[in-house]
């Protein structure tokens, strides 16, 4: 458990500068290293809930105009990589990126989920296809929208609330009725595990998406792969670690 958190935190903190400052001969190896670790993160988190499959399916099920609005988001770019029909100006790059991601089984699962969503074009069908995920489509999409703001993520988002409650309990005076109620809510281990799984898988795909965006230079996506998103994912993962320790 701890080693996975450390790996994830390290790659989130270093992937942006690693890829920007590397020379051309090392960039491909760097991006492969980042994707390989993201693939391990997905394997570690998502084998029980399949939330990342549902999330990518839902994004790809959106009308094309809505999906195009997400192309400045690394998850939107991964979706485009999976569903491009050869008509986009980046089609040759999407094809190369698809080949690269196909070498990693959990990233291939992400691509297949996006293909499924693009095929069915119905978020309700996505929800039934990935029924292990305990969250509603809107809750999954809210997580994506809140990734750039850790305060919003931990105060409004359903996943963040569970984690924030556990952390807050650790800093609340023990023995008051409010604390007792909060303890029961915060230490719901299944809710906490599900929340950290959903955040972990989302951040895993974001990390891989940012690596792909940086290597292939897809539009404005690089601008969203800086300290804001990376810092939020790192803080969320660290928050999961603290919350799990608090809850025993």
């Amino acid at each position: 458990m701890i080693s996975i958190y450390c790996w994830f935190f390290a790659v989130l903190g270093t992937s942006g500068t690693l890829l920007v400052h590397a020379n051309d001969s090392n960039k491909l190896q760097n991006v492969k290293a980042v994707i390989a670790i993201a693939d391990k993160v997905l394997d570690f988190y998502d084998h029980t809930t399949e939330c990342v499959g549902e999330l990518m399916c839902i994004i790809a099920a959106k009308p094309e105009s809505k999906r195009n609005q997400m192309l400045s988001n690394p998850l939107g770019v991964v979706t485009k990589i999976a569903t491009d029909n050869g008509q986009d100006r980046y089609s040759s790059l999407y094809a190369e990126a698809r080949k690269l991601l196909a070498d990693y089984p959990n990233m291939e699962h992400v691509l297949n989920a996006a293909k499924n969503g693009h095929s069915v074009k119905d978020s309700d069908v996505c929800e039934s296809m990935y029924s292990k995920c305990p969250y509603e489509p809107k809750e999954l999409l809210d997580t994506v929208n809140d990734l750039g703001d850790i305060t919003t993520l931990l105060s409004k988002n359903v996943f963040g609330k569970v984690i924030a409650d556990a952390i807050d309990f650790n800093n609340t005076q023990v023995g008051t009725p409010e604390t007792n109620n909060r303890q029961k809510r915060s230490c719901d281990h299944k809710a906490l595990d599900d929340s950290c799984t959903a955040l972990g898988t989302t951040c895993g795909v974001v990390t891989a998406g940012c690596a792909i965006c940086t290597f292939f230079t897809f539009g404005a996506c690089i601008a969203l792969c800086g300290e804001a998103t990376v810092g939020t994912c790192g803080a969320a993962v660290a928050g999961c670690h603290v919350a799990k320790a608090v809850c025993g």
Side-chain angles (χ1 to χ4, degrees):
M1 170 73 78
I2 292 176
S3 61
I4 287 289
Y5 276 111
C6 291
W7 280 2
F8 194 25
F9 193 81
V11 74
L12 283 169
T14 61
S15 58
T17 54
L18 180 70
L19 292 169
V20 169
H21 295 297
N23 59 44
D24 290 342
S25 63
N26 292 329
K27 280 186 178 179
L28 182 58
Q29 291 306 312
N30 288 337
V31 77
K32 285 182 176 179
V34 172
I35 293 171
I37 295 176
D39 192 74
K40 289 181 181 293
V41 169
L42 292 177
D43 180 59
F44 179 80
Y45 279 113
D46 204 46
H47 64 283
T48 56
T49 68
E50 293 191 343
C51 284
V52 69
E54 182 177 338
L55 173 62
M56 299 308 295
C57 183
I58 290 168
I59 292 174
K62 287 177 170 291
E64 186 175 0
S65 60
K66 296 289 186 181
R67 281 187 284 115
N68 286 341
Q69 292 175 12
M70 293 193 68
L71 285 180
S72 60
N73 181 303
L75 296 184
V77 171
V78 173
T79 302
K80 187 67 174 178
I81 289 169
T83 61
D84 179 64
N85 60 8
Q87 303 301 313
D88 192 277
R89 61 175 175 155
Y90 289 124
S91 288
S92 61
L93 296 182
Y94 289 139
E96 290 299 315
R98 188 159 51 238
K99 289 179 184 177
L100 178 60
L101 291 175
D103 289 337
Y104 303 90
N106 297 293
M107 291 307 305
E108 179 71 359
H109 168 66
V110 168
L111 296 180
N112 287 335
K115 290 177 186 176
N116 289 338
H118 188 251
S119 175
V120 301
K121 294 180 171 58
D122 187 332
S123 62
D124 290 337
V125 175
C126 291
E127 191 175 6
S128 64
M129 290 173 69
Y130 300 94
S131 58
K132 289 182 181 180
C133 185
Y135 296 110
E136 298 294 325
K138 183 181 183 302
E139 294 173 332
L140 292 170
L141 291 173
D142 280 350
T143 303
V144 178
N145 295 331
D146 294 342
L147 275 178
D149 184 348
I150 187 63
T151 302
T152 301
L153 184 71
L154 292 181
S155 63
K156 184 196 78 174
N157 188 278
V158 63
F159 312 125
K161 280 184 177 180
V162 175
I163 298 165
D165 278 349
I167 296 172
D168 189 39
F169 166 70
N170 191 43
N171 297 314
T172 303
Q173 183 178 357
V174 176
T176 65
E178 181 184 358
T179 299
N180 292 333
N181 291 336
R182 182 172 291 152
Q183 180 178 17
K184 183 177 180 181
R185 183 175 69 250
S186 299
C187 292
D188 181 337
H189 289 279
K190 185 178 186 307
L192 185 58
D193 286 344
D194 288 344
S195 297
C196 290
T197 292
L199 282 168
T201 53
T202 301
C203 287
V205 180
V206 167
T207 302
C210 284
I212 289 290
C213 286
T214 304
F215 183 70
F216 291 101
T217 61
F218 289 119
C221 186
I222 298 172
L224 296 183
C225 290
E227 293 181 4
T229 298
V230 170
T232 301
C233 281
V237 170
C240 281
H241 186 54
V242 171
K244 285 177 180 289
V246 168
C247 289

